[in-house]
Amino acid sequence: MEEISQNVDMDFIKTRAYIARHSYIENMENKLAAFEKRMLNKNFNVFWADNEASLVELVYQLLPDKIYNKVCFDLPHIPEEFNNTKKIKKIPIVEVENGKQSASVLFTQADFGVLETGTLVLLNKRSKNCFNLIPNIFILLDISKLIDKISDLEMLLYLKSYSQNQEFLPEDVKIINRPIKRVVKTKIQQEGEFNMQDVPVTIFLYDNGVTEILKDNILRTSLYCIDCGKCRTVCPIYQYEKSKEFSPIELVKANCFARNRITGDLFSRTLLCGNCVPVCPIQIPITDLLIREMELSKKQIPSTLAKIFVRRKKLNKMSKPFQRYFFLRKLYGKNKMLLSYFKQQPSTFFNIKWLQEHPDDE
Ligand code: SF4
């Protein structure tokens, strides 16, 4: 690994990754239609879900039984509705793996879809051993997570994995190119014989606000994100906040989705310190996107405040406490919310990257 890392031109890879994401996001509409066609030709079932409510409705329609369905979820976020219905009984993945319980549906999420080959890519799934044990597979695919070419896949996997754990490839990569087959036992089965059964794979192309973000020429860059999570590891507010609700990029996206932009959250959840920008493997200008959100919220907030936030970047460069004190007082003195935020912080410096680089100065 050491040897590989020395030979990797990271800037070149990041630029290629940016171009790959740009190429798909900027022509998403046509490419999505082509992807749908390709998947249908391969005998996948394909459905579109605009938002969580329509996703839930579709799932109810497609569940194999009307009343009681054993569903194994492997999703980062399970819609609340599925916790409160008698139509679904949640089965833990481990129970299916161990053969203690069966499930009629596995519901999971793809990390990427590849347009060129009609491929679904699933990374490090907890349910990786269950795909041949369950007779129906539902796969959610965020419509912003497609890529044009299979040759771009390795590069994006590399960047995502390296940002997460300094490894060059994810531990587990599951590629689905066609509906899955599974082995089933029958009563008349002789020794050494087995039957194969097709497992239908249903894909939900999930919008969930993506097309809303696409309408804004600047904010659409947030859709280039590959969910590596790196920006959250360097975000001072995310690190100190107990709820850990929004990483920097999630804050941008969540704000786009909100009908009345969550201006209060914006101001309490970002210092525009700029820590997230240099670590983003896709080079998304996250602070610019947050400033754009503030500009769009200018009905409630004086636009000059956005400019003041930009100066927050300068704070990162200040190593002397008195310099910081006067800087903060001058720029944020009128903003009580921010001032109290600064006062509550456990240490003088909030720039984690700076702290790591200067451990003796803490
Ligand atoms: S925005 Fe954040 S999560 Fe998305 S690719 Fe950049 S660093 Fe990773």
Side-chain angles (χ1 to χ4, degrees):
M1 287 294 181
E2 189 66 15
E3 202 179 309
I4 300 172
S5 70
Q6 283 168 4
N7 293 330
V8 166
D9 182 344
M10 206 44 120
D11 288 341
F12 176 70
I13 293 182
K14 284 182 177 179
T15 304
R16 266 193 63 200
Y18 184 90
I19 293 168
R21 296 302 292 137
H22 176 91
S23 165
Y24 170 68
I25 297 293
E26 302 304 322
N27 296 291
M28 189 191 288
E29 205 176 318
N30 295 336
K31 291 182 176 179
L32 264 176
F35 182 74
E36 180 190 24
K37 199 171 161 196
R38 182 148 289 151
M39 299 317 264
L40 287 170
N41 286 341
K42 286 184 162 199
N43 289 331
F44 288 97
N45 306 311
V46 183
F47 295 89
W48 294 78
D50 281 349
N51 49 37
E52 192 168 293
S54 60
L55 176 69
V56 167
E57 204 180 308
L58 266 173
V59 170
Y60 281 155
Q61 285 169 21
L62 296 167
L63 284 170
D65 296 305
K66 279 192 178 153
I67 313 172
Y68 183 77
N69 293 272
K70 290 180 171 180
V71 181
C72 193
F73 286 100
D74 187 4
L75 294 173
H77 165 72
I78 300 173
E80 190 53 35
E81 166 70 22
F82 294 148
N83 295 323
N84 309 316
T85 174
K86 288 188 178 152
K87 288 182 187 169
I88 286 178
K89 176 174 166 46
K90 285 202 246 166
I91 306 291
I93 293 167
V94 66
E95 298 275 300
V96 176
E97 262 183 336
N98 297 340
K100 288 188 180 160
Q101 290 202 60
S102 61
S104 53
V105 177
L106 169 62
F107 195 173
T108 186
Q109 182 161 354
D111 295 85
F112 294 108
V114 185
L115 174 61
E116 182 182 41
T117 50
T119 302
L120 296 170
V121 184
L122 287 74
L123 307 176
N124 299 332
K125 295 292 168 226
R126 285 182 299 127
S127 59
K128 62 184 174 191
N129 299 323
C130 299
F131 282 75
N132 297 327
L133 302 174
I134 300 179
N136 291 284
I137 312 267
F138 288 180
I139 298 182
L140 195 65
L141 177 62
D142 179 323
I143 57 170
S144 68
K145 294 292 182 283
L146 263 73
I147 50 178
D148 291 346
K149 297 183 204 140
I150 194 84
S151 56
D152 292 333
L153 181 63
E154 189 183 2
M155 168 186 67
L156 293 177
L157 293 187
Y158 168 86
L159 281 177
K160 181 160 170 151
S161 179
Y162 195 75
S163 300
Q164 286 171 338
N165 52 23
Q166 306 281 295
E167 296 290 343
F168 288 90
L169 279 174
E171 246 172 59
D172 182 74
V173 182
K174 189 163 193 63
I175 303 278
I176 300 180
N177 270 317
R178 61 185 66 84
I180 296 165
K181 288 200 182 289
R182 72 181 193 126
V183 178
V184 284
K185 287 181 188 163
T186 62
K187 283 182 188 161
I188 53 164
Q189 190 176 328
Q190 304 287 318
E191 201 180 328
E193 286 183 0
F194 55 86
N195 286 331
M196 298 298 281
Q197 186 187 65
D198 283 333
V199 177
V201 177
T202 301
I203 304 165
F204 297 98
L205 294 175
Y206 197 30
D207 184 315
N208 201 25
V210 168
T211 44
E212 199 53 41
I213 299 179
L214 260 186
K215 289 178 191 164
D216 188 291
N217 285 343
I218 297 173
L219 292 176
R220 67 199 304 168
T221 321
S222 64
L223 300 174
Y224 295 13
C225 173
I226 55 169
D227 288 333
C228 73
K230 190 71 180 173
C231 53
R232 79 169 60 124
T233 65
V234 297
C235 173
I237 295 195
Y238 185 88
Q239 294 300 321
Y240 290 130
E241 200 183 45
K242 277 197 188 128
S243 70
K244 305 229 177 287
E245 206 176 345
F246 296 110
S247 70
I249 197 70
E250 285 160 356
L251 183 58
V252 172
K253 290 186 188 175
N255 210 46
C256 294
F257 299 156
R259 265 195 207 148
N260 305 311
R261 292 175 180 263
I262 48 176
T263 51
D265 281 348
L266 260 184
F267 276 80
S268 61
R269 285 181 163 139
T270 180
L271 300 176
L272 294 179
C273 66
N275 280 358
C276 49
V277 178
V279 300
C280 174
I282 310 295
Q283 306 180 78
I284 298 171
I286 303 172
T287 47
D288 292 352
L289 302 186
L290 287 164
I291 291 167
R292 171 71 177 155
E293 297 277 19
M294 290 173 181
E295 284 169 357
L296 292 171
S297 309
K298 66 186 169 198
K299 275 184 192 156
Q300 292 91 7
I301 295 160
S303 59
T304 47
L305 213 49
K307 288 177 195 152
I308 291 173
F309 270 80
V310 180
R311 294 177 196 162
R312 173 64 179 85
K313 285 183 189 170
K314 288 185 187 167
L315 195 59
N316 289 337
K317 294 179 187 150
M318 295 182 187
S319 56
K320 304 267 186 310
F322 73 88
Q323 272 183 320
R324 292 174 52 80
Y325 174 78
F326 286 113
F327 183 84
L328 290 172
R329 219 179 122 183
K330 186 174 161 206
L331 295 178
Y332 303 112
K334 287 183 187 160
N335 185 328
K336 293 211 168 42
M337 186 157 45
L338 251 190
L339 210 57
S340 70
Y341 174 84
F342 277 114
K343 280 184 194 156
Q344 286 160 17
Q345 298 314 306
S347 63
T348 319
F349 271 86
F350 317 124
N351 185 332
I352 290 171
K353 194 159 171 272
W354 194 95
L355 279 176
Q356 285 166 347
E357 285 165 5
H358 304 83
D360 298 338
D361 296 336
E362 194 173 344

